Amino acid sequence: MEEVLNNDKLWKEALVEIELSVSRANFATWFKNTHIIKNEDGIVYINTPNTFIKEWLSDKYHKSIIKALRNISPTIKNIEYLVSVTSKNMGVTKEEIYKIEEIPTQEEQLGFNEFYIDKESNLNPKYRFDNFIVGSFNEVAYAASLAVSDNINTLYNPLFIYGGVGLGKTHLLQSIGNKIKETNLKVKVQYLTSEKFANEFINSIQNKDVYIFKEKYRKYNLLIIDDIQFFSGKLKIQEEFFHIFNSLYETNSQIVFSADKSPKQIEGLEERLRSRFEGGMMVDISKPEYESRLAILKSKAEEKKFFPSMEILEYVASVIQDNIREMEGALNSIIGQSKIKGKILSLNEIKELLNKNTKPVKTINVNELIKIISNFYNIEERYLFEKTRKKEIVKPRQIAMYLLREDLNASYPYIGQKFGGRDHTTVIYAYEKISNDIKKDIKLKQEIDQIRKNICEISL
Ligand code: ADP
Ligand code: MG
Protein backbone atom coordinates (compact mmCIF):
# COMPACT_ATOMS: atom_id res chain seq x y z
CA MET A 1 0.00 0.00 0.00
CA GLU A 2 1.20 3.43 -0.83
CA GLU A 3 2.29 5.54 2.06
CA VAL A 4 0.13 8.61 2.52
CA LEU A 5 2.39 11.59 2.50
CA ASN A 6 1.35 14.77 4.13
CA ASN A 7 0.91 17.66 1.74
CA ASP A 8 3.93 19.64 2.84
CA LYS A 9 6.22 16.69 2.59
CA LEU A 10 4.85 15.72 -0.81
CA TRP A 11 5.40 19.22 -2.15
CA LYS A 12 8.85 19.52 -0.64
CA GLU A 13 9.94 16.31 -2.28
CA ALA A 14 8.42 17.29 -5.58
CA LEU A 15 10.17 20.66 -5.47
CA VAL A 16 13.51 18.98 -4.98
CA GLU A 17 12.97 17.20 -8.26
CA ILE A 18 11.47 20.19 -10.07
CA GLU A 19 14.43 22.29 -9.04
CA LEU A 20 16.70 20.02 -11.00
CA SER A 21 14.91 20.73 -14.24
CA VAL A 22 14.46 24.49 -13.77
CA SER A 23 17.18 27.10 -13.50
CA ARG A 24 17.80 28.45 -10.04
CA ALA A 25 16.48 31.95 -10.63
CA ASN A 26 13.37 30.74 -12.43
CA PHE A 27 12.74 28.30 -9.68
CA ALA A 28 12.87 31.05 -7.08
CA THR A 29 10.63 33.29 -9.17
CA TRP A 30 7.86 30.86 -9.92
CA PHE A 31 7.81 28.41 -7.08
CA LYS A 32 8.27 30.54 -3.99
CA ASN A 33 5.18 30.71 -1.74
CA THR A 34 3.45 27.79 -3.40
CA HIS A 35 1.88 25.00 -1.34
CA ILE A 36 -0.21 21.91 -1.71
CA ILE A 37 -3.42 22.51 0.19
CA LYS A 38 -5.30 19.36 -0.67
CA ASN A 39 -4.69 15.98 -2.23
CA GLU A 40 -8.01 14.35 -2.91
CA ASP A 41 -9.16 11.62 -5.29
CA GLY A 42 -5.95 11.86 -7.25
CA ILE A 43 -6.20 15.61 -7.68
CA VAL A 44 -3.52 17.77 -6.11
CA TYR A 45 -4.55 21.34 -5.33
CA ILE A 46 -1.63 23.75 -5.47
CA ASN A 47 -1.96 27.17 -3.98
CA THR A 48 -0.11 30.02 -5.67
CA PRO A 49 0.32 33.62 -4.45
CA ASN A 50 -1.46 35.24 -7.42
CA THR A 51 -3.14 34.59 -10.75
CA PHE A 52 -0.03 35.54 -12.53
CA ILE A 53 2.02 32.73 -11.03
CA LYS A 54 -0.91 30.38 -11.29
CA GLU A 55 -1.11 30.91 -15.07
CA TRP A 56 2.62 30.61 -15.45
CA LEU A 57 2.85 27.36 -13.53
CA SER A 58 -0.02 25.77 -15.37
CA ASP A 59 1.20 27.00 -18.76
CA LYS A 60 4.89 26.37 -18.51
CA TYR A 61 5.67 24.04 -15.69
CA HIS A 62 2.67 21.74 -15.56
CA LYS A 63 4.53 18.86 -17.16
CA SER A 64 7.50 19.06 -14.81
CA ILE A 65 5.25 19.41 -11.80
CA ILE A 66 3.03 16.46 -12.59
CA LYS A 67 5.99 14.31 -13.46
CA ALA A 68 7.66 15.08 -10.15
CA LEU A 69 4.47 14.44 -8.20
CA ARG A 70 3.76 11.16 -9.95
CA ASN A 71 7.28 9.96 -9.27
CA ILE A 72 6.55 10.28 -5.61
CA SER A 73 2.93 9.26 -5.66
CA PRO A 74 1.93 7.36 -8.82
CA THR A 75 -1.80 7.60 -8.12
CA ILE A 76 -1.89 11.33 -8.77
CA LYS A 77 -4.04 12.04 -11.78
CA ASN A 78 -4.07 15.77 -12.16
CA ILE A 79 -3.37 19.17 -10.66
CA GLU A 80 -5.61 22.12 -9.91
CA TYR A 81 -3.86 25.45 -9.56
CA LEU A 82 -5.47 27.88 -7.16
CA VAL A 83 -4.79 31.40 -6.02
CA SER A 84 -3.99 31.66 -2.37
CA VAL A 85 -6.54 33.17 -0.03
CA THR A 86 -4.03 33.62 2.69
CA SER A 87 -1.44 35.59 0.81
CA LYS A 88 -1.37 39.33 0.32
CA ASN A 89 -3.59 39.16 -2.71
CA MET A 90 -6.39 37.60 -0.68
CA GLY A 91 -8.03 35.51 -3.30
CA VAL A 92 -8.37 38.25 -5.86
CA THR A 93 -10.07 37.25 -9.04
CA LYS A 94 -8.56 38.05 -12.37
CA GLU A 95 -11.08 40.86 -12.86
CA GLU A 96 -10.18 42.41 -9.57
CA ILE A 97 -6.52 42.35 -10.41
CA TYR A 98 -7.28 44.29 -13.53
CA LYS A 99 -8.76 47.09 -11.53
CA ILE A 100 -6.63 50.14 -11.56
CA GLU A 101 -6.27 50.26 -7.78
CA GLU A 102 -3.99 47.32 -8.20
CA ILE A 103 -1.51 49.30 -10.24
CA PRO A 104 1.01 50.81 -7.88
CA THR A 105 2.41 54.29 -8.27
CA GLN A 106 5.77 54.85 -9.85
CA GLU A 107 7.46 55.11 -6.45
CA GLU A 108 5.83 51.95 -5.25
CA GLN A 109 6.95 50.14 -8.37
CA LEU A 110 10.48 51.36 -8.08
CA GLY A 111 10.68 50.69 -4.38
CA PHE A 112 13.38 52.01 -2.18
CA ASN A 113 15.97 49.62 -3.55
CA GLU A 114 16.02 51.39 -6.84
CA PHE A 115 17.59 54.46 -5.27
CA TYR A 116 19.69 52.93 -2.59
CA ILE A 117 23.33 52.37 -3.31
CA ASP A 118 25.73 51.08 -0.71
CA LYS A 119 28.28 53.85 -0.18
CA GLU A 120 31.19 51.66 0.66
CA SER A 121 30.96 49.13 -2.17
CA ASN A 122 28.91 51.17 -4.70
CA LEU A 123 26.61 48.19 -5.06
CA ASN A 124 22.90 48.50 -5.65
CA PRO A 125 21.14 45.75 -3.68
CA LYS A 126 18.37 45.46 -6.27
CA TYR A 127 20.67 43.41 -8.52
CA ARG A 128 20.55 39.88 -7.21
CA PHE A 129 20.92 36.37 -8.53
CA ASP A 130 17.45 35.52 -7.33
CA ASN A 131 15.81 38.12 -9.56
CA PHE A 132 17.96 37.24 -12.54
CA ILE A 133 16.20 35.05 -15.07
CA VAL A 134 18.34 32.45 -16.76
CA GLY A 135 17.88 31.19 -20.30
CA SER A 136 20.11 29.65 -22.91
CA PHE A 137 21.33 33.13 -23.91
CA ASN A 138 22.95 33.88 -20.57
CA GLU A 139 23.31 30.59 -18.72
CA VAL A 140 27.05 30.30 -19.10
CA ALA A 141 27.64 33.83 -17.86
CA TYR A 142 25.25 33.16 -15.00
CA ALA A 143 26.96 29.91 -14.02
CA ALA A 144 30.41 31.51 -14.10
CA SER A 145 29.21 34.45 -12.00
CA LEU A 146 27.62 32.15 -9.48
CA ALA A 147 30.78 30.06 -9.28
CA VAL A 148 32.85 33.16 -8.60
CA SER A 149 30.46 34.36 -5.93
CA ASP A 150 30.55 30.98 -4.22
CA ASN A 151 34.26 30.85 -4.14
CA ILE A 152 36.26 33.93 -4.99
CA ASN A 153 39.60 33.60 -6.63
CA THR A 154 39.83 29.83 -6.74
CA LEU A 155 38.13 29.76 -10.10
CA TYR A 156 37.91 32.04 -13.08
CA ASN A 157 40.17 34.90 -12.23
CA PRO A 158 39.65 37.34 -13.81
CA LEU A 159 36.09 36.80 -14.96
CA PHE A 160 35.30 38.75 -18.11
CA ILE A 161 31.65 39.03 -19.18
CA TYR A 162 30.87 40.63 -22.50
CA GLY A 163 27.81 41.30 -24.62
CA GLY A 164 25.60 44.01 -26.10
CA VAL A 165 23.78 46.81 -24.31
CA GLY A 166 20.99 46.04 -21.89
CA LEU A 167 21.57 42.30 -21.73
CA GLY A 168 22.27 41.96 -18.03
CA LYS A 169 26.02 42.45 -17.60
CA THR A 170 25.72 45.02 -14.84
CA HIS A 171 23.03 42.95 -13.18
CA LEU A 172 25.33 39.91 -13.04
CA LEU A 173 28.38 41.84 -11.91
CA GLN A 174 26.51 43.47 -9.07
CA SER A 175 24.87 40.17 -8.09
CA ILE A 176 28.33 38.70 -7.56
CA GLY A 177 29.28 41.62 -5.33
CA ASN A 178 26.03 41.55 -3.37
CA LYS A 179 26.16 37.83 -2.79
CA ILE A 180 29.74 37.89 -1.60
CA LYS A 181 29.03 40.78 0.72
CA GLU A 182 26.10 38.91 2.22
CA THR A 183 27.97 35.70 2.77
CA ASN A 184 31.27 37.06 3.92
CA LEU A 185 31.32 40.32 5.80
CA LYS A 186 35.09 40.52 5.79
CA VAL A 187 35.54 40.55 2.05
CA LYS A 188 36.21 44.06 0.79
CA VAL A 189 34.18 44.60 -2.33
CA GLN A 190 34.29 47.49 -4.74
CA TYR A 191 32.11 47.97 -7.79
CA LEU A 192 32.61 50.79 -10.25
CA THR A 193 32.51 51.63 -13.91
CA SER A 194 35.76 52.04 -15.78
CA GLU A 195 34.74 55.60 -16.43
CA LYS A 196 34.55 56.33 -12.72
CA PHE A 197 37.87 54.63 -12.25
CA ALA A 198 39.41 56.84 -14.93
CA ASN A 199 37.92 59.99 -13.42
CA GLU A 200 39.20 59.16 -9.98
CA PHE A 201 42.62 58.53 -11.38
CA ILE A 202 42.71 61.83 -13.24
CA ASN A 203 41.52 63.70 -10.16
CA SER A 204 44.19 62.08 -8.08
CA ILE A 205 46.83 63.30 -10.51
CA GLN A 206 45.45 66.80 -10.33
CA ASN A 207 45.34 66.66 -6.55
CA LYS A 208 48.79 65.14 -6.45
CA ASP A 209 47.66 62.19 -4.37
CA VAL A 210 48.01 59.34 -6.82
CA TYR A 211 49.55 57.23 -4.07
CA ILE A 212 46.23 57.32 -2.16
CA PHE A 213 44.42 56.20 -5.27
CA LYS A 214 46.83 53.31 -5.77
CA GLU A 215 46.64 52.22 -2.16
CA LYS A 216 42.89 52.28 -2.20
CA TYR A 217 42.52 49.92 -5.14
CA ARG A 218 45.12 47.50 -3.93
CA LYS A 219 43.23 46.69 -0.79
CA TYR A 220 40.11 45.13 -2.28
CA ASN A 221 39.45 41.40 -2.21
CA LEU A 222 36.95 41.72 -4.99
CA LEU A 223 37.19 44.46 -7.57
CA ILE A 224 34.41 44.70 -10.14
CA ILE A 225 34.87 47.03 -13.08
CA ASP A 226 31.95 47.54 -15.40
CA ASP A 227 32.15 48.61 -19.07
CA ILE A 228 35.89 48.29 -19.41
CA GLN A 229 35.65 49.22 -23.10
CA PHE A 230 35.87 52.81 -21.90
CA PHE A 231 39.61 52.24 -21.36
CA SER A 232 39.98 52.00 -25.11
CA GLY A 233 42.69 54.37 -26.33
CA LYS A 234 43.41 55.71 -22.82
CA LEU A 235 46.94 54.43 -22.43
CA LYS A 236 47.93 56.19 -19.26
CA ILE A 237 44.96 54.78 -17.42
CA GLN A 238 45.57 51.35 -18.87
CA GLU A 239 49.09 51.46 -17.58
CA GLU A 240 48.02 52.40 -14.08
CA PHE A 241 45.32 49.80 -14.12
CA PHE A 242 47.75 47.15 -15.32
CA HIS A 243 49.82 47.57 -12.17
CA ILE A 244 46.80 47.53 -9.93
CA PHE A 245 45.57 44.42 -11.68
CA ASN A 246 48.86 42.62 -11.15
CA SER A 247 49.06 43.56 -7.54
CA LEU A 248 45.50 42.36 -6.88
CA TYR A 249 46.09 39.19 -8.82
CA GLU A 250 49.24 38.40 -6.90
CA THR A 251 47.48 38.85 -3.59
CA ASN A 252 44.73 36.45 -4.68
CA SER A 253 42.02 39.03 -5.05
CA GLN A 254 39.19 38.37 -7.46
CA ILE A 255 38.67 40.70 -10.39
CA VAL A 256 35.55 40.84 -12.53
CA PHE A 257 35.05 42.85 -15.70
CA SER A 258 32.36 43.54 -18.21
CA ALA A 259 32.58 45.04 -21.66
CA ASP A 260 30.35 45.46 -24.66
CA LYS A 261 32.85 43.45 -26.77
CA SER A 262 35.39 40.72 -26.28
CA PRO A 263 38.92 41.88 -25.37
CA LYS A 264 40.03 41.10 -28.92
CA GLN A 265 37.43 43.42 -30.37
CA ILE A 266 38.16 46.36 -28.09
CA GLU A 267 40.35 48.72 -30.04
CA GLY A 268 43.16 50.70 -28.48
CA LEU A 269 43.82 48.19 -25.74
CA GLU A 270 47.41 47.54 -24.78
CA GLU A 271 48.46 44.00 -25.61
CA ARG A 272 49.63 43.12 -22.11
CA LEU A 273 46.32 44.22 -20.61
CA ARG A 274 44.37 42.35 -23.25
CA SER A 275 46.26 39.20 -22.45
CA ARG A 276 45.46 39.66 -18.74
CA PHE A 277 41.77 39.95 -19.58
CA GLU A 278 41.96 36.85 -21.69
CA GLY A 279 43.93 34.95 -19.06
CA GLY A 280 40.94 34.02 -16.92
CA MET A 281 37.42 33.08 -17.87
CA MET A 282 35.67 34.87 -20.73
CA VAL A 283 31.95 34.42 -21.22
CA ASP A 284 29.50 36.19 -23.45
CA ILE A 285 25.81 37.00 -23.15
CA SER A 286 23.90 36.86 -26.39
CA LYS A 287 20.43 38.13 -27.18
CA PRO A 288 17.59 36.48 -25.30
CA GLU A 289 15.26 34.14 -27.20
CA TYR A 290 11.52 34.66 -27.05
CA GLU A 291 10.89 32.29 -24.13
CA SER A 292 13.47 34.04 -21.99
CA ARG A 293 12.16 37.47 -22.94
CA LEU A 294 8.71 36.42 -21.87
CA ALA A 295 9.95 35.00 -18.58
CA ILE A 296 11.90 38.17 -17.81
CA LEU A 297 8.94 40.36 -18.65
CA LYS A 298 6.66 38.31 -16.44
CA SER A 299 8.97 38.47 -13.51
CA LYS A 300 9.50 42.23 -13.94
CA ALA A 301 5.75 42.80 -14.14
CA GLU A 302 5.28 40.77 -11.02
CA GLU A 303 7.99 42.68 -9.20
CA LYS A 304 6.07 45.83 -10.01
CA LYS A 305 2.81 44.21 -8.93
CA PHE A 306 1.34 44.64 -12.36
CA PHE A 307 -0.62 41.81 -13.86
CA PRO A 308 -1.46 42.30 -17.54
CA SER A 309 -2.81 39.44 -19.63
CA MET A 310 -0.54 36.83 -21.14
CA GLU A 311 -1.46 38.21 -24.57
CA ILE A 312 0.00 41.61 -23.70
CA LEU A 313 3.21 40.17 -22.32
CA GLU A 314 3.57 37.95 -25.34
CA TYR A 315 3.12 40.94 -27.61
CA VAL A 316 5.80 42.98 -25.83
CA ALA A 317 8.20 40.03 -25.77
CA SER A 318 7.68 39.51 -29.47
CA VAL A 319 8.27 43.10 -30.59
CA ILE A 320 11.21 44.03 -28.37
CA GLN A 321 13.97 41.60 -29.14
CA ASP A 322 17.38 43.06 -28.60
CA ASN A 323 17.50 44.69 -25.26
CA ILE A 324 16.14 43.82 -21.83
CA ARG A 325 16.35 47.37 -20.60
CA GLU A 326 14.17 48.51 -23.49
CA MET A 327 11.69 45.80 -22.62
CA GLU A 328 11.52 47.10 -19.06
CA GLY A 329 11.09 50.61 -20.42
CA ALA A 330 8.13 49.45 -22.49
CA LEU A 331 6.61 47.78 -19.45
CA ASN A 332 7.04 50.98 -17.43
CA SER A 333 5.35 53.08 -20.06
CA ILE A 334 2.47 50.61 -20.23
CA ILE A 335 2.10 50.84 -16.45
CA GLY A 336 2.36 54.64 -16.56
CA GLN A 337 -0.26 54.99 -19.29
CA SER A 338 -2.54 52.49 -17.54
CA LYS A 339 -2.33 54.65 -14.45
CA ILE A 340 -3.19 57.77 -16.43
CA LYS A 341 -6.10 56.13 -18.22
CA GLY A 342 -7.37 54.43 -15.09
CA LYS A 343 -7.38 50.96 -16.65
CA ILE A 344 -4.97 48.47 -18.12
CA LEU A 345 -4.48 49.34 -21.76
CA SER A 346 -5.93 47.14 -24.48
CA LEU A 347 -3.59 45.30 -26.79
CA ASN A 348 -4.33 47.80 -29.54
CA GLU A 349 -3.55 50.75 -27.32
CA ILE A 350 -0.31 49.07 -26.34
CA LYS A 351 0.61 48.48 -29.95
CA GLU A 352 0.10 52.14 -30.61
CA LEU A 353 1.97 53.23 -27.51
CA LEU A 354 5.03 51.14 -28.31
CA ASN A 355 5.06 52.18 -31.92
CA LYS A 356 4.69 55.86 -31.34
CA ASN A 357 8.20 56.52 -30.12
CA THR A 358 9.91 54.53 -32.77
CA LYS A 359 7.90 54.31 -35.92
CA PRO A 360 5.41 56.55 -37.70
CA VAL A 361 1.87 55.36 -37.14
CA LYS A 362 0.57 56.23 -40.55
CA THR A 363 2.26 55.25 -43.71
CA ILE A 364 3.40 57.38 -46.56
CA ASN A 365 4.39 56.33 -50.03
CA VAL A 366 7.85 55.62 -51.32
CA ASN A 367 8.18 58.89 -53.23
CA GLU A 368 7.31 60.94 -50.20
CA LEU A 369 9.84 59.08 -48.14
CA ILE A 370 12.57 59.67 -50.73
CA LYS A 371 11.71 63.33 -50.78
CA ILE A 372 12.00 63.64 -47.01
CA ILE A 373 15.34 61.87 -46.95
CA SER A 374 16.86 63.85 -49.78
CA ASN A 375 15.67 67.09 -48.14
CA PHE A 376 17.12 66.00 -44.86
CA TYR A 377 20.53 65.25 -46.33
CA ASN A 378 20.32 68.09 -48.76
CA ILE A 379 20.95 66.06 -51.90
CA GLU A 380 19.01 65.81 -55.13
CA GLU A 381 16.45 63.02 -55.18
CA ARG A 382 17.73 61.51 -58.41
CA TYR A 383 21.15 60.73 -56.88
CA LEU A 384 19.52 58.22 -54.59
CA PHE A 385 18.60 56.10 -57.61
CA GLU A 386 21.91 56.35 -59.41
CA LYS A 387 24.63 53.76 -59.20
CA THR A 388 27.12 55.82 -57.29
CA ARG A 389 29.23 54.71 -54.36
CA LYS A 390 29.86 58.17 -53.02
CA LYS A 391 29.64 58.13 -49.24
CA GLU A 392 27.31 61.11 -49.02
CA ILE A 393 24.84 59.29 -51.29
CA VAL A 394 25.29 55.71 -50.09
CA LYS A 395 24.29 56.47 -46.52
CA PRO A 396 20.98 58.27 -47.30
CA ARG A 397 20.17 55.53 -49.81
CA GLN A 398 20.75 52.83 -47.22
CA ILE A 399 18.63 54.73 -44.73
CA ALA A 400 15.84 55.01 -47.30
CA MET A 401 15.99 51.26 -47.86
CA TYR A 402 16.02 50.63 -44.15
CA LEU A 403 13.00 52.82 -43.47
CA LEU A 404 11.06 51.36 -46.39
CA ARG A 405 11.59 47.93 -44.97
CA GLU A 406 11.26 48.74 -41.28
CA ASP A 407 8.44 51.27 -41.26
CA LEU A 408 6.60 50.73 -44.53
CA ASN A 409 7.02 46.95 -44.60
CA ALA A 410 8.09 46.97 -48.24
CA SER A 411 9.60 43.71 -49.50
CA TYR A 412 13.31 43.50 -50.30
CA PRO A 413 12.79 42.79 -54.02
CA TYR A 414 10.34 45.67 -54.28
CA ILE A 415 12.81 48.07 -52.68
CA GLY A 416 15.57 46.80 -54.97
CA GLN A 417 13.41 47.40 -57.98
CA LYS A 418 12.51 50.93 -56.83
CA PHE A 419 16.17 51.81 -56.48
CA GLY A 420 17.18 51.29 -60.05
CA GLY A 421 16.78 47.51 -60.29
CA ARG A 422 19.23 46.58 -57.55
CA ASP A 423 19.44 43.01 -56.35
CA HIS A 424 17.44 42.22 -53.19
CA THR A 425 20.64 41.10 -51.42
CA THR A 426 21.92 44.67 -51.72
CA VAL A 427 18.78 45.81 -49.94
CA ILE A 428 19.18 43.19 -47.22
CA TYR A 429 22.75 44.32 -46.74
CA ALA A 430 21.65 47.97 -46.42
CA TYR A 431 18.88 47.06 -44.01
CA GLU A 432 21.17 45.05 -41.79
CA LYS A 433 23.93 47.59 -41.87
CA ILE A 434 21.68 50.41 -40.70
CA SER A 435 19.98 48.17 -38.11
CA ASN A 436 23.39 47.42 -36.62
CA ASP A 437 24.85 50.89 -36.98
CA ILE A 438 21.92 52.49 -35.14
CA LYS A 439 22.85 50.56 -32.07
CA LYS A 440 26.37 51.88 -32.01
CA ASP A 441 26.09 55.28 -33.61
CA ILE A 442 24.06 57.75 -31.57
CA LYS A 443 24.28 60.43 -34.22
CA LEU A 444 22.84 58.11 -36.84
CA LYS A 445 20.06 57.13 -34.45
CA GLN A 446 19.22 60.80 -33.92
CA GLU A 447 19.16 61.46 -37.64
CA ILE A 448 16.80 58.58 -38.22
CA ASP A 449 14.58 59.67 -35.33
CA GLN A 450 14.41 63.13 -36.88
CA ILE A 451 13.56 61.70 -40.30
CA ARG A 452 10.79 59.68 -38.68
CA LYS A 453 9.46 62.81 -37.04
CA ASN A 454 9.43 64.53 -40.43
CA ILE A 455 7.56 61.55 -41.86
CA CYS A 456 5.02 61.73 -39.04
CA GLU A 457 4.42 65.40 -39.69
CA ILE A 458 3.52 64.98 -43.31
CA SER A 459 1.53 61.81 -42.74
CA LEU A 460 -0.73 63.29 -40.08
P1 ADP B 1 23.93 45.78 -19.43
O1 ADP B 1 24.81 46.11 -18.24
O2 ADP B 1 24.32 44.55 -20.15
O3 ADP B 1 23.77 46.94 -20.35
P2 ADP B 1 21.89 45.62 -17.38
O4 ADP B 1 22.49 44.63 -16.47
O5 ADP B 1 21.92 47.04 -16.97
O6 ADP B 1 22.47 45.47 -18.85
O7 ADP B 1 20.38 45.16 -17.66
C1 ADP B 1 19.37 46.05 -18.12
C2 ADP B 1 18.11 45.84 -17.33
O8 ADP B 1 17.58 44.56 -17.61
C3 ADP B 1 18.33 45.88 -15.83
O9 ADP B 1 17.23 46.50 -15.23
C4 ADP B 1 18.41 44.44 -15.43
O10 ADP B 1 17.94 44.24 -14.11
C5 ADP B 1 17.50 43.77 -16.43
N1 ADP B 1 17.94 42.42 -16.75
C6 ADP B 1 18.91 42.07 -17.62
N2 ADP B 1 19.03 40.74 -17.70
C7 ADP B 1 18.10 40.22 -16.87
C8 ADP B 1 17.73 38.89 -16.51
N3 ADP B 1 18.34 37.84 -17.06
N4 ADP B 1 16.73 38.72 -15.60
C9 ADP B 1 16.12 39.79 -15.07
N5 ADP B 1 16.41 41.07 -15.38
C10 ADP B 1 17.40 41.29 -16.26
MG1 MG C 1 25.85 47.86 -17.81
Side-chain angles (χ1 to χ4, degrees):
M1 219 179 82
E2 195 193 328
E3 191 196 341
V4 183
L5 282 167
N6 86 27
N7 295 334
D8 281 350
K9 191 145 178 266
L10 173 61
W11 192 225
K12 232 182 225 153
E13 284 183 20
L15 287 178
V16 170
E17 195 178 320
I18 293 165
E19 196 172 3
L20 298 175
S21 62
V22 177
S23 72
R24 203 157 155 169
N26 288 337
F27 182 76
T29 306
W30 305 114
F31 288 89
K32 71 177 174 224
N33 299 329
T34 56
H35 310 276
I36 292 180
I37 47 163
K38 210 161 55 165
N39 178 3
E40 228 173 58
D41 305 327
I43 312 283
V44 171
Y45 297 82
I46 297 178
N47 235 352
T48 63
N50 56 48
T51 23
F52 195 49
I53 292 192
K54 175 187 146 187
E55 265 185 36
W56 190 253
L57 289 183
S58 63
D59 278 9
K60 305 282 169 186
Y61 290 114
H62 181 72
K63 267 197 198 134
S64 315
I65 299 172
I66 198 148
K67 188 163 154 260
L69 285 170
R70 279 185 187 150
N71 274 347
I72 304 162
S73 173
T75 52
I76 289 171
K77 290 197 284 260
N78 213 343
I79 302 174
E80 284 281 333
Y81 299 90
L82 307 169
V83 174
S84 168
V85 280
T86 51
S87 83
K88 246 191 354 219
N89 284 325
M90 291 293 280
V92 278
T93 62
K94 198 162 177 171
E95 288 64 37
E96 279 171 311
I97 274 181
Y98 278 65
K99 272 203 233 150
I100 196 62
E101 285 77 27
E102 296 290 328
I103 303 174
T105 62
Q106 185 85 3
E107 290 88 84
E108 283 165 343
Q109 287 162 34
L110 292 172
F112 123 105
N113 277 352
E114 202 81 23
F115 305 106
Y116 176 78
I117 290 175
D118 179 62
K119 287 222 173 54
E120 217 161 289
S121 62
N122 278 324
L123 288 165
N124 184 330
K126 78 167 180 165
Y127 295 114
R128 298 185 317 274
F129 283 121
D130 66 17
N131 61 5
F132 188 81
I133 302 287
V134 186
S136 54
F137 74 108
N138 63 8
E139 64 189 352
V140 181
Y142 169 78
S145 305
L146 207 54
V148 165
S149 72
D150 280 339
N151 222 344
I152 62 167
N153 186 45
T154 52
L155 285 163
Y156 313 152
N157 198 15
L159 172 63
F160 192 105
I161 300 179
Y162 65 95
V165 195
L167 297 180
K169 300 184 296 297
T170 297
H171 192 133
L172 270 182
L173 258 54
Q174 297 226 18
S175 302
I176 299 175
N178 281 321
K179 173 134 187 253
I180 287 184
K181 246 177 31 141
E182 272 162 33
T183 48
N184 191 338
L185 296 172
K186 288 210 195 88
V187 177
K188 287 200 212 66
V189 182
Q190 179 71 11
Y191 164 89
L192 79 171
T193 61
S194 63
E195 194 169 1
K196 185 144 185 273
F197 180 90
N199 289 340
E200 263 186 46
F201 176 59
I202 290 160
N203 285 337
S204 77
I205 295 178
Q206 279 164 0
N207 300 334
K208 301 200 172 48
D209 54 14
V210 179
Y211 67 98
I212 297 180
F213 174 84
K214 287 181 182 171
E215 281 299 296
K216 176 179 165 193
Y217 281 97
R218 285 184 166 95
K219 71 168 203 258
Y220 294 116
N221 308 109
L222 168 63
L223 179 64
I224 306 171
I225 302 203
D226 208 347
D227 289 319
I228 201 87
Q229 73 275 0
F230 183 79
F231 279 0
S232 147
K234 302 190 170 62
L235 297 182
K236 189 129 180 53
I237 284 160
Q238 287 182 31
E239 188 189 332
E240 197 51 53
F241 184 71
F242 180 75
H243 296 302
I244 290 176
F245 179 96
N246 286 343
S247 136
L248 287 171
Y249 191 81
E250 278 155 22
T251 53
N252 296 325
S253 294
Q254 172 75 43
I255 308 143
V256 180
F257 301 107
S258 84
D260 64 353
K261 313 178 192 65
S262 74
K264 259 202 188 57
Q265 292 165 320
I266 301 176
E267 283 168 24
L269 202 57
E270 256 192 286
E271 203 41 52
R272 58 179 187 171
L273 197 52
R274 188 192 315 273
S275 81
R276 287 292 186 279
F277 290 159
E278 288 172 345
M281 172 78 175
M282 283 194 292
V283 285
D284 72 326
I285 303 185
S286 53
K287 287 184 183 159
E289 7 46 85
Y290 173 73
E291 282 295 311
S292 296
R293 297 202 297 275
L294 191 57
I296 292 170
L297 207 53
K298 272 205 140 197
S299 104
K300 297 277 173 199
E302 205 215 2
E303 245 173 46
K304 294 168 199 287
K305 307 210 170 17
F306 181 68
F307 304 98
S309 67
M310 202 53 167
E311 192 188 28
I312 288 177
L313 293 176
E314 282 171 349
Y315 173 73
V316 178
S318 70
V319 292
I320 303 179
Q321 302 176 345
D322 297 338
N323 184 325
I324 296 166
R325 188 175 302 127
E326 198 179 318
M327 216 161 65
E328 268 192 284
L331 185 65
N332 285 337
S333 52
I334 293 171
I335 297 175
Q337 284 297 314
S338 301
K339 192 89 199 159
I340 291 167
K341 296 214 164 148
K343 65 172 180 59
I344 291 193
L345 304 186
S346 69
L347 187 61
N348 274 338
E349 285 169 319
I350 286 170
K351 282 185 181 167
E352 199 169 305
L353 175 72
L354 297 187
N355 268 329
K356 210 184 269 162
N357 304 326
T358 50
K359 295 174 191 175
V361 185
K362 288 189 184 168
T363 52
I364 55 166
N365 66 36
V366 183
N367 295 339
E368 285 166 324
L369 179 79
I370 304 280
K371 198 185 201 102
I372 288 171
I373 292 181
S374 49
N375 277 343
F376 185 84
Y377 288 104
N378 206 9
I379 49 178
E380 279 183 48
E381 275 175 52
R382 65 187 167 89
Y383 288 143
L384 287 176
F385 301 101
E386 283 174 7
K387 288 208 156 72
T388 165
R389 289 180 188 277
K390 277 193 203 137
K391 217 174 136 212
E392 58 278 19
I393 307 294
V394 171
K395 181 176 143 190
R397 184 195 295 136
Q398 287 179 334
I399 291 175
M401 290 176 170
Y402 169 80
L403 288 172
L404 278 170
R405 175 73 199 159
E406 184 73 14
D407 293 1
L408 305 188
N409 291 328
S411 74
Y412 293 125
Y414 171 83
I415 300 170
Q417 186 206 331
K418 273 277 162 191
F419 283 87
R422 283 179 168 80
D423 192 67
H424 72 280
T425 53
T426 311
V427 185
I428 293 175
Y429 173 80
Y431 174 78
E432 285 179 351
K433 178 162 193 328
I434 300 292
S435 306
N436 286 324
D437 287 355
I438 285 182
K439 291 176 202 147
K440 294 173 281 188
D441 184 344
I442 296 171
K443 192 164 159 281
L444 177 69
K445 168 97 176 57
Q446 286 167 343
E447 286 173 14
I448 291 179
D449 284 347
Q450 185 56 49
I451 293 170
R452 281 182 165 142
K453 279 200 189 113
N454 297 351
I455 296 172
C456 276
E457 269 161 26
I458 79 148
S459 60
L460 285 178

